[in-house]
Amino acid sequence: MKTIFYTFLILFSLSTIKVQAQGKISGQITDDKSKIVEFATITLLNAKDSSLVKGALGDVNGTFEFEKVNYGTYIINISQLGYKKYYTPKFILSAETSNIKLSKIVLSEDSKQLGEVQVTAKKPFIEQQIDKTVVNVENSIVSAGNTAIEVLEKSPGVTVDKDGNISLKGKQNVMVMLDGKPTYMSASDLANMLRNMQATQLDKIEIMTNPPAKYDAAGNAGVINIRLKKNQNTGLNGSANIGLGYGPYKSLPKESAGLNLNYRSGKVNVFGNFSANDRKSFQDQTINRKFFENGKVISGFDQVGNNDRRNYSFSYKMGADYFLDKKNTIGFLFNGMNGTWKEDLNNETLIKNAAAQLDTTSRTLGAINNNWGNYSTNINFKHVIDSTGREITADLDYARYDADNSMKYRTSKYDTQNILRQTRNEDGLTDSKINIYSAKVDLTYPINKTSKFETGLKSSYVHSGNNMSFVFLVGDLNTPVLDPTRTRDFVYKENINAGYINYSKEFKKVSMQLGLRVENTNGQGTLLGKELLNRHYTNLFPSVFFRQKLAKDHQLGYSFSRRIDRPSYEDLNPFLFFLDPYTFQRGNELLQPQYTNAFEVSHTYKDAITTTLNFSRTNGIMTEILEQNNALKTTNVTKINIGYVENMGISFSVPVPITKWWFSNTYFNLYNNHYVGDIPKTTINSDGTSSTILQPLDARATTYQANMTHQFTLPKKYSLELSGWYMSPFVEGQLAGRPMGAMSFGIQKKFMNDKATLKLNVNDVFWSNQFRGSFIFNDIDVQVTNKWESRVIRLNFSYRFGNSKVAAARQRRTGLEDEKGRVKNSGN
């Protein structure tokens, strides 16, 4: 850590050293009405042959500057949309005139040019770039009115299972970020937040399967960065949208509305957005379980659950950038989301004997009400050292997550004659509050035109407080009696200190990037005030990237990285969560981090068609397992560390413009997952004691995924889109899943000078998206089917307003990194 810090100081000092025989050129640009021209493109040219020397971008004050320019004779060319090109007279930079400040440069409007300009090109829905895959959400018709998680399901290599767990190329533990800031939530809670986020709030999704060292080392599958819209126009402008969805199966409506505003003038840029959602949905689930003893079936459970859900939420974002001067900018961001998740459960379980005859019927009615709020604040600063790209950025972040959950369960048991024999009534309360603090600083230091050095430091602190209490309602008076096994107070504190260095170099036909990240982790957990865990560990995470240009249209890329996945805060929480009278979920305070080594080799043709070979091995893989108690007929769900999982695959990304009006993008991924490890089995003996044995797991499956999107541009500003995805059978530890897939269709019409857009789409046209899977391992035999309201018809209207003169807005990658991805606190 000291070495990184000293390196940082040395490089900062070097940036202030002046080079001999070099000077500086500056100036300011206005128009013929004395109005400042912002963000013009300025090029410094040799007067002798007009060859390019340097390029720059003017700031909000119309000023520009070239530093460390060799003595000589030059001219400057200035261009900006809406103005005629301008060339300065020749001037000489020498020892006598080493600091030239050009007199005010006046541009003339080019009204004819503006009248003729018409932009017709647009980016495809899925775009392959050198280091990542980009999903341009705004350019998709079928995304209109959808939620963010539904857009993710259409993204190449991404799958979302029945519980909202996100996988990338068959691997879980993806680090999901919003505007470069991870979401701090577990898979299920992150999925709930994304279900409450409109697709109209999204600009694009960046998918990185092998991110460099400047990103946190968390996430063995890679990084998914969701970038939200931030209007980039000058003056006052924005957009508004309203949408209505309809699920035909149960006639359940979905309503949404949103507003985006941006104001930019002079040194200030202020922006904000607001959206609201109100959605009703359902989920139907069947579970069939068999219990064995000495290899024979002794009991069976056939369970049917019908859940009706309603969730409404408000999300809001506001921020501002203030340009102190041409080298210093300060910014502020605030994000918030509040919501309520309500769920009514109706579960019926038929309990059968060894002869598969009905023995008991259990019916559970449940009501869950979850109020939650997520808030994050960021203050950032940027200092430009010089015009070569050398800069320092700093971020201070604070995030808070609150959730209050009340639960009511009423269970009745009936005999074969449908006579009530037993009741079980219970109420529960859970409360979770998580506070996260983060500070980071980064230095970007181009050494010359072909090499660059980057380094940075970061420190974060997390305080997670979780309370849970359950009571049984006893007797005719429903007297509350505390259940001590489910009344807990768990506190987890964690501090992570990190630093990284990155060096990149370009040669004639080869470019490379070498990185090293170090992370020091300190965690402490207490249960009812008693220390439960105390961990301190430091790890190194190298990354290596090479890109080789073979010919004009062919490139090869090679990459390696080492990554870590720490347990989520709730996975460490030893609470016993009630799902139904026979099913529980428990955290595991003994859960350890898992480590992944990942390799990739890719070939790119014409910077578009990409073929990738990948291999990764994750040691100590955190795997969800089922544990059965045959005596009590209960099933416990928990996570443990097992040996390893190996993932090997090949993928193809093929964006093809078939005709001028038909664009196709196909993604195909073939991979094999191989899980190896030992699963503990605990047996309750007749004398009440227990014994545990280890049973080997060796599960393997070859799976393929396919995503395809077709976009059709039609006359009279109509356009169509047809998209679909499919995944063949797969395995995840003990779980074996069956095929999944869906097809969607949309039509769009633009009018009112292209400022208004009306989109109609149908998602999952054939209602084929459902989860079917099984847990079959030794004496465990569980079959699961889960179907939800994925087929929805939506109508969405959006309108853009305000000034249309483009000026680049600042994007920030803030300091809330890996910690967010481990919070389970966005509401269920």
Side-chain angles (χ1 to χ4, degrees):
M1 297 293 287
K2 289 183 178 179
T3 302
I4 296 173
F5 179 71
Y6 290 144
T7 303
F8 184 95
L9 290 180
I10 291 169
L11 288 172
F12 180 77
S13 300
L14 287 173
S15 69
T16 63
I17 300 175
K18 293 185 178 180
V19 181
Q20 298 297 321
Q22 291 181 333
K24 183 170 69 173
I25 305 167
S26 61
Q28 186 179 35
I29 308 165
T30 62
D31 62 12
D32 48 14
K33 297 179 182 178
S34 299
K35 182 181 177 180
I36 290 174
V37 177
E38 301 177 353
F39 304 105
T41 301
I42 304 105
T43 52
L44 180 65
L45 309 173
N46 278 314
K48 181 178 180 180
D49 54 7
S50 296
S51 60
L52 176 65
V53 179
K54 285 188 177 184
L57 189 69
D59 61 18
V60 294
N61 300 314
T63 60
F64 64 90
E65 184 177 88
F66 293 104
E67 294 183 326
K68 299 182 180 179
V69 180
N70 294 331
Y71 292 162
T73 304
Y74 301 98
I75 58 174
I76 286 180
N77 168 238
I78 300 168
S79 61
Q80 175 61 294
L81 182 65
Y83 296 96
K84 295 179 180 178
K85 283 189 176 181
Y86 179 89
Y87 289 89
T88 67
K90 294 181 183 179
F91 59 89
I92 298 174
L93 190 68
S94 63
E96 293 75 20
T97 56
S98 61
N99 188 351
I100 295 179
K101 186 172 184 180
L102 300 174
S103 57
K104 283 193 176 183
I105 301 168
V106 180
L107 303 186
S108 300
E109 289 189 4
D110 190 358
S111 56
K112 180 179 179 182
Q113 180 187 11
L114 286 174
E116 294 176 350
V117 171
Q118 181 180 7
V119 179
T120 57
K122 69 174 184 178
K123 293 182 179 180
F125 175 51
I126 299 172
E127 181 183 10
Q128 186 67 46
Q129 296 184 4
I130 291 178
D131 57 346
K132 56 182 170 283
T133 300
V134 179
V135 180
N136 296 297
V137 179
E138 191 172 15
N139 295 328
S140 170
I141 303 169
V142 299
S143 297
N146 283 359
T147 64
I149 200 167
E150 290 169 326
V151 178
L152 269 178
E153 288 179 328
K154 300 179 180 70
S155 301
V158 180
T159 55
V160 183
D161 69 12
K162 64 183 180 66
D163 298 318
N165 298 303
I166 299 172
S167 301
L168 181 58
K169 285 191 174 182
K171 296 187 288 184
Q172 293 186 340
N173 300 299
V174 183
M175 183 168 70
V176 178
M177 310 171 77
L178 288 178
D179 286 334
K181 176 176 58 178
T183 46
Y184 278 18
M185 282 165 274
S186 69
S188 59
D189 294 322
L190 171 63
N192 184 54
M193 186 193 76
L194 295 177
R195 288 188 188 105
N196 285 277
M197 183 179 292
Q198 299 179 37
T200 53
Q201 296 175 251
L202 276 57
D203 177 28
K204 58 187 175 182
I205 300 171
E206 299 172 339
I207 301 171
M208 293 170 277
T209 55
N210 225 2
K214 70 182 301 180
Y215 288 91
D216 278 12
N220 80 82
V223 171
I224 296 177
N225 186 23
I226 301 173
R227 291 202 174 274
L228 303 179
K229 287 182 180 178
K230 182 176 178 182
N231 203 307
Q232 298 183 337
N233 299 338
T234 59
L236 176 64
N237 44 72
S239 63
N241 67 85
I242 186 170
L244 179 65
Y246 177 75
Y249 181 68
K250 287 190 176 182
S251 302
L252 299 177
K254 295 110 176 50
E255 301 165 346
S256 62
L259 176 67
N260 293 277
L261 291 173
N262 190 90
Y263 178 76
R264 184 164 198 151
S265 179
K267 293 186 175 183
V268 179
N269 181 54
V270 181
F271 56 91
N273 59 55
F274 173 84
S275 66
N277 295 275
D278 189 353
R279 299 172 183 268
K280 294 180 180 179
S281 61
F282 71 90
Q283 177 178 273
D284 295 338
Q285 181 171 269
T286 61
I287 302 177
N288 305 109
R289 284 181 272 192
K290 294 179 181 179
F291 292 86
F292 296 84
E293 190 172 281
N294 299 322
K296 296 182 179 180
V297 177
I298 60 173
S299 181
F301 282 31
D302 293 337
Q303 181 177 342
V304 177
N306 306 113
N307 301 349
D308 292 326
R309 298 170 172 176
R310 181 178 182 182
N311 59 301
Y312 42 92
S313 64
F314 301 92
S315 63
Y316 36 93
K317 175 182 179 179
M318 60 179 296
D321 291 330
Y322 182 71
F323 303 89
L324 300 171
D325 52 42
K326 59 188 176 183
K327 289 192 175 184
N328 298 286
T329 305
I330 190 169
F332 166 79
L333 287 171
F334 177 80
N335 284 282
M337 180 178 284
N338 298 83
T340 298
W341 173 279
K342 295 183 177 181
E343 186 171 9
D344 294 324
L345 303 90
N346 185 354
N347 294 335
E348 181 178 79
T349 303
L350 305 180
I351 304 173
K352 301 178 180 180
N353 58 26
Q357 299 171 330
L358 181 65
D359 180 74
T360 306
T361 300
S362 175
R363 297 189 180 98
T364 298
L365 298 177
I368 298 175
N369 187 57
N370 188 359
N371 296 305
W372 51 272
N374 303 336
Y375 316 94
S376 62
T377 303
N378 165 264
I379 298 176
N380 56 80
F381 175 76
K382 176 181 177 180
H383 170 68
V384 177
I385 299 173
D386 56 33
S387 60
T388 64
R390 296 169 183 171
E391 63 181 35
I392 298 173
T393 59
D395 289 89
L396 294 175
D397 290 272
Y398 169 72
R400 180 178 176 88
Y401 295 82
D402 293 334
D404 297 304
N405 196 2
S406 64
M407 296 156 284
K408 297 180 183 294
Y409 299 102
R410 304 293 182 260
T411 301
S412 303
K413 292 185 179 180
Y414 300 85
D415 63 15
T416 55
Q417 305 300 317
N418 204 31
I419 298 174
L420 181 64
R421 295 299 185 184
Q422 183 182 353
T423 61
R424 170 175 168 161
N425 300 328
E426 52 197 310
D427 293 345
L429 294 172
T430 62
D431 173 72
S432 181
K433 289 181 172 54
I434 301 176
N435 293 280
I436 304 173
Y437 308 85
S438 173
K440 76 183 187 81
V441 61
D442 297 277
L443 169 68
T444 301
Y445 194 92
I447 299 171
N448 51 44
K449 291 182 179 180
T450 61
S451 60
K452 181 172 67 173
F453 181 84
E454 297 174 289
T455 186
L457 300 171
K458 178 195 167 186
S459 182
S460 65
Y461 174 76
V462 177
H463 184 282
S464 174
N466 305 270
N467 295 303
M468 181 175 75
S469 64
F470 265 85
V471 296
F472 290 108
L473 305 179
V474 180
D476 295 336
L477 298 178
N478 284 332
T479 304
V481 177
L482 192 67
D483 179 5
T485 63
R486 288 184 291 160
T487 299
R488 303 291 182 92
D489 179 9
F490 178 71
V491 176
Y492 183 72
K493 302 176 182 178
E494 185 179 76
N495 165 240
I496 300 178
N497 303 298
Y500 74 90
I501 53 175
N502 245 18
Y503 174 74
S504 58
K505 173 72 174 177
E506 292 184 6
F507 300 95
K508 186 175 182 179
K509 290 189 176 182
V510 177
S511 60
M512 71 171 187
Q513 179 177 289
L514 308 176
L516 179 65
R517 186 177 186 90
V518 59
E519 293 188 353
N520 167 257
T521 305
N522 307 280
Q524 181 185 39
T526 59
L527 181 63
L528 297 173
K530 183 179 179 181
E531 185 174 280
L532 193 65
L533 59 94
N534 195 339
R535 297 175 182 169
H536 306 275
Y537 51 93
T538 301
N539 302 112
L540 295 176
F541 301 98
S543 61
V544 180
F545 299 84
F546 284 94
R547 181 162 292 272
Q548 180 182 8
K549 188 171 183 179
L550 301 179
K552 179 182 178 182
D553 296 327
H554 297 271
Q555 293 185 76
L556 276 180
Y558 316 85
S559 65
F560 163 78
S561 67
R562 184 171 188 260
R563 305 189 68 78
I564 183 175
D565 288 287
R566 301 175 181 87
S568 71
Y569 308 131
E570 192 170 5
D571 284 338
L572 292 170
N573 188 341
F575 286 2
L576 192 65
F577 293 93
F578 177 91
L579 301 178
D580 63 53
Y582 305 99
T583 311
F584 300 86
Q585 183 171 351
R586 182 188 182 279
N588 179 8
E589 67 275 14
L590 301 179
L591 204 58
Q592 298 287 335
Q594 64 183 33
Y595 297 89
T596 300
N597 293 315
F599 303 83
E600 280 192 1
V601 178
S602 63
H603 172 265
T604 304
Y605 175 68
K606 289 190 174 181
D607 290 331
I609 300 176
T610 302
T611 304
T612 303
L613 294 169
N614 68 275
F615 172 81
S616 68
R617 176 174 171 133
T618 301
N619 294 313
I621 180 74
M622 293 182 286
T623 305
E624 192 171 80
I625 64 167
L626 297 184
E627 299 174 326
Q628 287 190 166
N629 187 320
N630 291 341
L632 299 177
K633 306 296 189 296
T634 60
T635 300
N636 178 55
V637 182
T638 190
K639 275 188 177 181
I640 65 169
N641 297 97
I642 66 170
Y644 64 88
V645 59
E646 290 182 340
N647 175 279
M648 180 184 301
I650 182 172
S651 64
F652 305 90
S653 178
V654 187
V656 178
I658 299 175
T659 67
K660 292 182 178 180
W661 51 270
W662 180 3
F663 183 86
S664 170
N665 196 311
T666 301
Y667 177 86
F668 180 83
N669 182 31
L670 177 71
Y671 63 90
N672 178 274
N673 274 341
H674 186 199
Y675 288 82
V676 177
D678 294 321
I679 306 294
K681 178 187 177 183
T682 301
T683 303
I684 307 298
N685 303 317
S686 57
D687 59 359
T689 61
S690 63
S691 58
T692 301
I693 61 173
L694 295 178
Q695 299 175 312
L697 171 71
D698 192 332
R700 181 197 295 267
T702 298
T703 305
Y704 65 88
Q705 298 172 255
N707 298 69
M708 183 173 286
T709 303
H710 294 273
Q711 294 176 321
F712 305 90
T713 302
L714 305 180
K716 297 184 179 181
K717 298 185 178 180
Y718 280 95
S719 55
L720 298 177
E721 182 176 313
L722 181 67
S723 68
W725 65 274
Y726 177 82
M727 182 170 68
S728 69
F730 61 94
V731 297
E732 292 177 3
Q734 287 182 315
L735 172 66
R738 297 182 184 179
M740 300 175 65
M743 182 174 290
S744 302
F745 168 81
I747 183 170
Q748 170 183 284
K749 166 68 174 176
K750 288 189 174 184
F751 50 98
M752 298 176 66
N753 295 323
D754 290 345
K755 290 187 175 182
T757 304
L758 187 66
K759 298 180 181 181
L760 175 68
N761 61 60
V762 183
N763 275 273
D764 195 5
V765 176
F766 303 107
W767 202 17
S768 57
N769 189 14
Q770 61 176 310
F771 173 82
R772 295 172 298 161
S774 59
F775 293 85
I776 301 177
F777 181 72
N778 293 327
D779 63 345
I780 295 176
D781 187 336
V782 178
Q783 307 287 332
V784 180
T785 300
N786 197 318
K787 198 168 183 64
W788 56 93
E789 192 181 34
S790 56
R791 181 170 59 183
V792 178
I793 301 172
R794 292 183 172 90
L795 182 67
N796 192 81
F797 173 78
S798 61
Y799 179 74
R800 295 182 295 108
F801 55 88
N803 196 330
S804 60
K805 185 178 177 182
V806 174
R810 212 163 63 98
Q811 291 283 352
R812 289 296 304 134
R813 178 176 177 266
T814 62
L816 295 179
E817 301 291 339
D818 163 47
E819 302 79 15
K820 263 193 172 182
R822 299 164 56 214
V823 174
K824 293 191 174 183
N825 196 34
S826 181
N828 288 314

